[in-house]
Amino acid sequence: MARIWPALAGHALVILVWHLTVVWGDIESFILPTPLDTLATLGDASYHWPRHIAITAAEVFGGYALALAIGVGLAVAFCWSRGVERGTMPVLVTLNMIPKVAMAPLFIVWLGYGVFPNMVIAFTISFFPILLTTMRGLREVEPDLLDLVRALNGSRWQIFAKIQLPGALPYLFSGMKVATVLAVAGAIVGEFMGSSGGLGYLMQSRQGYLDTAGMFMGVILVTLIGVAMYGLVLLLERLFVVSDARIQ
């Protein structure tokens, strides 16, 4: 609770400053709505909030899960085979340099509209940090520890499972934290470029009506999806990394 209360107080202060700025500054609602006006949009059935939240959450979590699976899988493959890394890693670096926003229209042409193309965009943006951090973690092993296990006739699989993989977990979770932000950004970029649903689509459609309150609520809900994912990663890190450290 000592950690939670300061965070809650900080958020409450931001909301209070937001409200007072609008009221005391006599700002028009179509420029900056009050927090209460923004919150009131949740009760308006015309926004179809549950549907748009579900679409964006599916895109974010789906793209993130795909990035996690492929990123960790490739990192393990590169760790086991230098030849695979030398042949594949330069190609991945080159592809990562391509602006993902520029690729979004092509994904729409190739894959059409819907959840899956936006999921692919979220994957392409969040994949690389997981790959790089996991690779570094698998290789940041103390040489003395490796020599000890080899002296005890430990197999390559035992070295990987007992030393490299547990030692790589802090690096993996660091990459996963960065990837949470990128996955949310990727899904919203896809919805802006072309979609028939999702919070990004809703915000873009409401722009023409100068519905700033609805757009603000969309931004808040997107942020909450990212916060929920980040909190899940922190929980997993606490379970797998902090618990192991306490046991040791």
Side-chain angles (χ1 to χ4, degrees):
M1 295 303 295
R3 295 180 179 180
I4 294 175
W5 282 115
L8 293 177
H11 285 78
L13 179 61
V14 170
I15 295 174
L16 178 61
V17 171
W18 172 12
H19 178 78
L20 294 178
T21 300
V22 176
V23 174
W24 291 351
D26 196 22
I27 301 175
E28 296 291 342
S29 60
F30 70 89
I31 296 177
L32 182 63
T34 65
L36 293 178
D37 291 338
T38 302
L39 191 62
T41 60
L42 288 177
D44 191 340
S46 65
Y47 287 92
H48 303 289
W49 290 117
R51 171 178 174 267
H52 294 296
I53 292 172
I55 291 174
T56 300
E59 294 166 353
V60 172
F61 282 92
Y64 185 81
L66 193 62
L68 181 61
I70 296 179
V72 173
L74 282 177
V76 172
F78 293 165
C79 179
W80 277 69
S81 175
R82 289 284 186 175
V84 173
E85 179 188 358
R86 293 190 185 102
T88 308
M89 193 61 183
V91 178
L92 294 177
V93 172
T94 302
L95 293 176
N96 188 63
M97 295 302 170
I98 300 175
K100 305 307 181 294
V101 177
M103 291 295 295
L106 291 175
F107 286 139
I108 294 173
V109 172
W110 294 335
L111 304 174
Y113 292 92
V115 173
F116 184 67
N118 298 333
M119 191 183 299
V120 171
I121 296 173
F123 156 74
T124 57
I125 294 180
S126 58
F127 155 76
F128 213 65
I130 295 177
L131 172 63
L132 291 181
T133 55
T134 307
M135 283 178 57
R136 181 179 178 184
L138 290 172
R139 290 174 178 166
E140 291 287 334
V141 182
E142 296 182 10
D144 293 339
L145 187 58
L146 288 177
D147 293 339
L148 175 62
V149 176
R150 288 170 182 151
L152 296 174
N153 296 323
S155 65
R156 187 176 181 182
W157 170 253
Q158 288 175 323
I159 293 174
F160 173 77
K162 300 295 184 180
I163 297 178
Q164 288 180 296
L165 189 58
L169 287 179
Y171 295 87
L172 170 60
F173 281 108
S174 296
M176 290 173 62
K177 292 174 187 175
V178 175
T180 55
V181 180
L182 299 177
V184 174
I188 296 302
V189 166
E191 291 178 357
F192 281 163
M193 296 301 297
S195 181
S196 59
L199 294 172
Y201 164 80
L202 178 66
M203 286 185 282
Q204 193 173 42
S205 64
R206 290 288 170 174
Q207 182 182 10
Y209 300 100
L210 294 179
D211 183 10
T212 314
M215 290 188 286
F216 255 86
M217 196 68 243
V219 171
I220 292 172
L221 292 174
V222 168
T223 304
L224 290 178
I225 291 175
V227 169
M229 180 180 290
Y230 192 86
L232 179 60
V233 173
L234 289 179
L235 178 61
L236 293 175
E237 183 182 30
R238 186 174 183 84
L239 291 175
F240 288 101
V241 178
V242 178
S243 297
D244 289 345
R246 288 176 178 173
I247 292 174
Q248 295 173 0

